[in-house]
Amino acid sequence: MKSTKLFGLIAAVALIATPALSASRDIYPDPAQARTDLAAALKTAAATHKRVIIDFGGNWCGDCHVLDIYFHNAQNAPILESNYVLVHVNVGHYDANLDLAQRYGIPLEKGVPALVVLSDTGKVLLSQKNGEFEKMGHMEPNSVTSFLVQWKPTKPGCSVMVVTC
C-alpha cells in the first residue's frame, strides 16, 4: 500500500517537473535573427510547397513553451513537419520585432503565442487577432492538431474539404 502511494507521488512529481524542464530551453532565437529566419523559411516553403507558420512569442512565456511541446508531440509533429516551415519570432518582453508583428497583423496586446500562417508564396492566410493560443497552458494538444489540419496546404487535385488527401 505504501509503495503504491510512493509511486503515485513520484509520478506526480515527474509530471510537474517535465514541463519545467521543457520550458528551460530557449525556443525563440535572438530577436535580431527574425528577418533572416523568416526569409529562409519563405525560400524553403516556396521550394517545398509548404506553408509557413510564424510563431510570435518569447522564452519567458510559459504558454509559448506549451505550444512548442504540443507542436512536437507524437500526434502533431508529423503534420507540422510534412506541411509547414515553423519560424519562431522573439518579441522580447514586447519590445522586439514589433514591426514584424504589425506587418503580419498580430496585435501583441492580446498576448502570445500568436501565429501567422503564410502560403508558400508568402501570402498571409491567417493572422491570429484575438489571442487564440494565449492561454495554451489551459488547452489540449488536439487544439493544435485541429489548427494544423485546418491550415495545411491542399495537395494538387484534392478538394479543400477533403481532409484525407
Side-chain angles (χ1 to χ4, degrees):
M1 190 68 142
K2 286 185 180 181
S3 64
T4 305
K5 287 182 182 179
L6 179 60
F7 178 77
L9 179 62
I10 291 170
V13 169
L15 284 173
I16 292 168
T18 301
L21 292 174
S22 299
S24 67
R25 74 178 185 89
D26 286 345
I27 298 167
Y28 299 88
D30 185 282
Q33 279 186 238
R35 284 168 181 69
T36 303
D37 290 351
L38 186 53
L42 287 167
K43 186 176 181 179
T44 300
T48 60
H49 304 291
K50 293 182 178 182
R51 293 196 169 159
V52 174
I53 295 178
I54 308 173
D55 171 17
F56 289 90
N59 291 314
W60 52 267
C61 169
D63 290 299
C64 298
H65 283 273
V66 172
L67 175 61
D68 193 64
I69 290 166
Y70 289 175
F71 268 151
H72 296 96
N73 73 14
Q75 181 178 352
N76 294 326
I79 302 168
L80 182 72
E81 291 168 13
S82 62
N83 295 287
Y84 299 95
V85 179
L86 178 62
V87 179
H88 297 288
V89 173
N90 191 336
V91 297
H93 288 278
Y94 297 108
D95 60 359
N97 292 312
L98 303 181
D99 59 328
L100 279 179
Q102 184 176 18
R103 174 180 167 194
Y104 288 106
I106 294 295
L108 290 175
E109 67 275 5
K110 298 283 186 174
V112 290
L115 304 179
V116 174
V117 178
L118 304 176
S119 71
D120 59 350
T121 61
K123 178 183 174 193
V124 175
L125 302 174
L126 168 78
S127 181
Q128 290 185 328
K129 304 277 188 215
N130 297 309
E132 288 89 336
F133 284 168
E134 190 251 343
K135 300 286 185 202
M136 185 53 64
H138 299 288
M139 297 173 76
E140 296 294 322
N142 64 359
S143 60
V144 175
T145 308
S146 296
F147 175 87
L148 293 173
V149 169
Q150 178 181 357
W151 291 102
K152 74 180 186 173
T154 57
K155 305 294 183 218
C158 293
S159 166
V160 175
M161 299 304 290
V162 177
V163 178
T164 58
C165 282

